Amino acid sequence: MGVSPQSLLVSLDMKGLLQGNDHEQSGSAKGSLCSKHMGAQANKRNWQMKKQRVMRKNGGHVKSKRATRILTKRVARLGSKKPANGIVRRVRTLKRLIPNSESMGLDGLFQETADYILSLQMRVRAMQVMVNVLGGSDE
């Protein structure tokens, strides 16, 4: 059986344990013990209400501060890998665009890309010349 804090205070007061030599002292002792108890109850109620608000906000889950801190660290670590995933995706796309580059390393891929861009520029110039010659323009 549990004893309620109020009944404990009443029994202590009846036994004279809360009374000191001075009447004001007993009042302050009783008051401080009572106020501590009431403050603890208020804190408990506030905590329960806050927990319910968080549960409603998070869809029924309560996250501790430690769990939130761990998740934040994981996101920070993974956040630094996301640009790397973007780079990997772009390199894969570049390998698809450049002919015969699937088995190349990164250095060779960049060199081949530069050469391929130069060859495309030369083809564009050649086509412009052909258009000018066949079109009869003097440019």
Side-chain angles (χ1 to χ4, degrees), residues 42-57:
N43 286 341
K44 185 177 179 182
R45 274 192 308 274
N46 289 341
W47 182 82
Q48 287 172 341
M49 288 171 52
K50 182 178 178 184
K51 182 179 174 181
Q52 288 173 352
R53 279 193 308 269
V54 169
M55 284 182 68
R56 271 187 252 121
K57 187 171 100 176

Side-chain angles (χ1 to χ4, degrees), residues 1-77:
M1 280 189 194
V3 177
S4 73
Q6 288 86 2
S7 63
L8 182 63
L9 283 174
V10 169
S11 66
L12 286 174
D13 192 32
M14 291 182 131
K15 290 180 182 177
L17 294 175
L18 291 178
Q19 292 178 346
N21 294 337
D22 189 10
H23 180 67
E24 289 178 15
Q25 186 181 14
S26 69
S28 67
K30 182 178 177 183
S32 66
L33 188 56
C34 233
S35 65
K36 284 181 184 178
H37 172 69
M38 297 306 237
Q41 280 186 336
N43 286 341
K44 185 177 179 182
R45 274 192 308 274
N46 289 341
W47 182 82
Q48 287 172 341
M49 288 171 52
K50 182 178 178 184
K51 182 179 174 181
Q52 288 173 352
R53 279 193 308 269
V54 169
M55 284 182 68
R56 271 187 252 121
K57 187 171 100 176
N58 293 336
H61 299 288
V62 177
K63 295 179 184 176
S64 67
K65 287 184 180 180
R66 183 175 181 272
T68 304
R69 197 169 51 241
I70 289 170
L71 284 174
T72 305
K73 286 181 182 179
R74 282 185 188 164
V75 168
R77 269 189 267 136

Side-chain angles (χ1 to χ4, degrees), residues 110-123:
F110 289 150
Q111 183 63 46
E112 191 65 30
T113 302
D115 292 342
Y116 188 62
I117 290 171
L118 289 175
S119 72
L120 289 175
Q121 286 176 340
M122 291 299 288
R123 286 182 187 179

Side-chain angles (χ1 to χ4, degrees), residues 123-136:
R123 286 182 187 179
V124 168
R125 285 188 196 134
M127 287 183 208
Q128 285 172 341
V129 168
M130 288 172 44
V131 167
N132 290 338
V133 168
L134 293 174

